[in-house]
Amino acid sequence: MPGESLKKTLSPMMLWGLGVGYVISGMYFGWNLGFKEGGTLGMAIAIGFIVVMYAAFSFSYAELACAIPKAGGVFDYANRALGKDIGFIAGMAQNIEFIFAPPAIALSIGAYFNLFFPSVPVLAIAIVAYLLFTGLNIYGVKAAATFELVITILAVAELLIFAGVTLPHFKAANLTNNPLPHGWAGMFACIPFAVWIFLGIEGVGNVAEESLNPQKDISKGFGSAIITLIVLCGLTLVAAVGVSGWEAIVYKTGTTESSDSPLPLAMARIVGDNSFLFHMLITVGLFGLVASFHGLILAGGRATFEFGRIGFAPQFLGKINGRFQTPAYALLVNMLIGIVALVTGRTGDIITIAGLGALTLYIISMVSLFVLRNNEPEMTRPFRVPLLVIATFSIIVMSYYNFKLALIYFGILAVAFLIFKIAKRNAV
């Protein structure tokens, strides 16, 4: 649907807010489940590899977004560089990431909110969050991005406060306690949770079409966002584990049940669970979760919209709401699929499937980057950077250690691709 276009309203500051906001929930939950697999040493090594991958990926993806500022992100890049078949696979991987990541975050929103109101079911809170923030995204991108910027700033401030309260109680011995609970193999099992910490930053590329000056603003948004996130990652994880060791932030107090709210567990060890600081952490921590939840809904809507606009999915998904000029139909379909995933309640599995989608996206992006540099050197690029291929190793390891989930993920890709080919053949 070439006539459908999105409004240009996003400034560099808003792009920073979106970039950090997409990811910041990864600082609030999810990562702690990696310590159960690999301990402090295994998780630290996994995070080190993933930080290098994301730093290189962010600048390379920014190059692609500047050269091809379209809402489809990797789908548009791969479609141009590698053809429609690979473009379809890239787009499906991106859709899986952006559709499966929000349900995991919604469950954590429910878990944090449930600490205040234990009588309200986690699932009910999560579904209400989906309805509320899908509605906000339908209302308008500028309002959505402004909201995202405000709550992202609050979420960053809260992480800094958390570090300020916990770091004075840091003990180095807590970092070396049971550092490899499952041996070196546990380090590989940590990878999905290390990826989760930064998963979603590529969503900045999906709003390139709506930025005021894509060739200048996208690179600023990506660069400032990834630097902010690396600093916050180091501070938050060291501060949380340094209080009482990794077991204290993986398991709910007095149980062997995994927790979706590690920062309150660490804070409670210092100030108790009835103090002002504890309740402030939960309250503002919700903003961090909401920032990522809301931001990924925004990016996912654009990715699905582009899929429909180009004709790779039902065309109604590629239509813009006449009143609000937003991809309302794509947002609503994504919400319905996300709510179905919510009902499973399996946060770790949802995170892993989203991570597999992300790594597939990264690998295809890298190949597309090299092909476009070779085939279309005249394309507008504010900068050029080298790129590492850690993602290839990561997806192999993730698939090995999560074989059943990998079968589900690749099965979804295979079925979708088969339907795409049949539909394409029938259309000719």
Side-chain angles (χ1 to χ4, degrees), residues 10-23 58-59 61-63 65-66 149 152 200-205 207-208 211 213-229 382-383:
L10 303 180
S11 66
M13 187 64 179
M14 286 180 173
L15 292 170
W16 171 86
L18 288 170
V20 175
Y22 291 145
V23 176
S58 295
F59 289 104
Y61 203 72
E63 179 176 318
C66 291
L149 178 61
T152 296
I201 192 170
E202 64 275 8
V204 175
V207 294
S211 64
N213 188 339
Q215 277 68 40
K216 291 184 179 179
D217 297 347
I218 291 296
S219 57
K220 293 177 183 177
F222 261 115
S224 57
I226 193 64
I227 291 169
T228 301
L229 291 164
F383 53 87

Side-chain angles (χ1 to χ4, degrees), residues 220-277:
K220 293 177 183 177
F222 261 115
S224 57
I226 193 64
I227 291 169
T228 301
L229 291 164
I230 290 171
V231 171
L232 289 174
C233 172
L235 275 176
T236 303
L237 271 64
V238 168
V241 178
V243 171
S244 296
W246 64 262
E247 289 96 336
I249 56 169
V250 169
Y251 303 108
K252 295 179 180 178
T253 305
T255 74
T256 56
E257 183 182 354
S258 298
S259 172
D260 283 336
S261 51
L263 301 191
L265 289 177
M267 183 75 87
R269 294 271 178 164
I270 299 169
V271 301
D273 58 7
N274 286 313
S275 68
F276 168 76
L277 282 173

Side-chain angles (χ1 to χ4, degrees), residues 31-68:
W31 54 266
N32 60 313
L33 302 178
F35 286 93
K36 182 169 65 173
E37 303 295 338
T40 46
L41 182 57
M43 192 63 174
I45 295 172
I47 289 173
F49 278 107
I50 296 305
V51 164
V52 173
M53 182 190 80
Y54 266 100
F57 167 77
S58 295
F59 289 104
S60 298
Y61 203 72
E63 179 176 318
L64 288 167
C66 291
I68 308 172

Side-chain angles (χ1 to χ4, degrees), residues 102-284:
I105 301 170
L107 287 170
S108 190
I109 290 172
Y112 268 73
F113 198 89
N114 185 258
L115 293 173
F116 275 128
F117 303 101
S119 61
V120 183
V122 170
L123 182 60
I125 298 167
I127 291 174
V128 169
Y130 249 112
L131 294 170
L132 180 64
F133 292 107
T134 297
L136 178 59
N137 273 280
I138 290 173
Y139 178 73
V141 68
K142 188 169 184 180
T146 301
F147 174 81
E148 182 80 356
L149 178 61
V150 171
I151 59 175
T152 296
I153 291 171
L154 288 171
V156 170
E158 175 56 25
L159 289 177
L160 295 176
I161 292 170
F162 171 78
V165 172
T166 53
L167 282 175
H169 300 269
F170 169 84
K171 293 181 180 178
N174 289 327
L175 298 182
T176 58
N177 181 36
N178 196 14
L180 278 174
H182 302 294
W184 289 107
M187 177 191 70
F188 300 110
C190 288
I191 288 177
F193 305 101
V195 170
W196 176 253
I197 296 173
F198 298 97
L199 185 144
I201 192 170
E202 64 275 8
V204 175
N206 294 84
V207 294
E209 187 174 338
E210 294 162 278
S211 64
L212 294 172
N213 188 339
Q215 277 68 40
K216 291 184 179 179
D217 297 347
I218 291 296
S219 57
K220 293 177 183 177
F222 261 115
S224 57
I226 193 64
I227 291 169
T228 301
L229 291 164
I230 290 171
V231 171
L232 289 174
C233 172
L235 275 176
T236 303
L237 271 64
V238 168
V241 178
V243 171
S244 296
W246 64 262
E247 289 96 336
I249 56 169
V250 169
Y251 303 108
K252 295 179 180 178
T253 305
T255 74
T256 56
E257 183 182 354
S258 298
S259 172
D260 283 336
S261 51
L263 301 191
L265 289 177
M267 183 75 87
R269 294 271 178 164
I270 299 169
V271 301
D273 58 7
N274 286 313
S275 68
F276 168 76
L277 282 173
F278 179 81
H279 289 295
M280 183 182 72
L281 174 69
I282 297 174
T283 303
V284 183

